[in-house]
Amino acid sequence: PGGHGGQELYTLPSEVEFAYVVRGALIVRFPDEEVRLGPGDAMTFEGREPHTWRNASASEPCEALWVLSPAP
């Protein structure tokens, strides 16, 4: 609960990021949009695209699998 990747958008030196939500809800924020993911949802995007993330709940945990390729 309350987890996040920071208030500022950041980039990573990877071609692709993949996020899969196992339980809870995750919000991934980009410069022009926010994407809300729930259990079973997945998304891919370029690691070089400015982004950040946060748990959508202040009281419930979020469990996600996050993969970077290639690894930084």
Side-chain angles (χ1 to χ4, degrees):
H4 59 84
Q7 298 301 317
E8 299 297 321
L9 301 179
Y10 62 90
T11 62
L12 294 170
S14 63
E15 292 180 25
V16 176
E17 288 193 46
F18 168 79
Y20 174 80
V21 176
V22 177
R23 69 180 176 124
L26 180 71
I27 295 173
V28 182
R29 183 168 60 95
F30 300 96
D32 298 327
E33 72 174 318
E34 285 190 350
V35 178
R36 183 183 179 99
L37 303 172
D41 291 338
M43 71 178 301
T44 59
F45 57 94
E46 290 184 28
R48 293 179 181 97
E49 182 174 356
H51 64 282
T52 192
W53 58 271
R54 73 178 186 275
N55 181 342
S57 173
S59 60
E60 297 295 320
C62 175
E63 211 173 297
L65 171 66
W66 207 287
V67 178
L68 307 175
S69 178

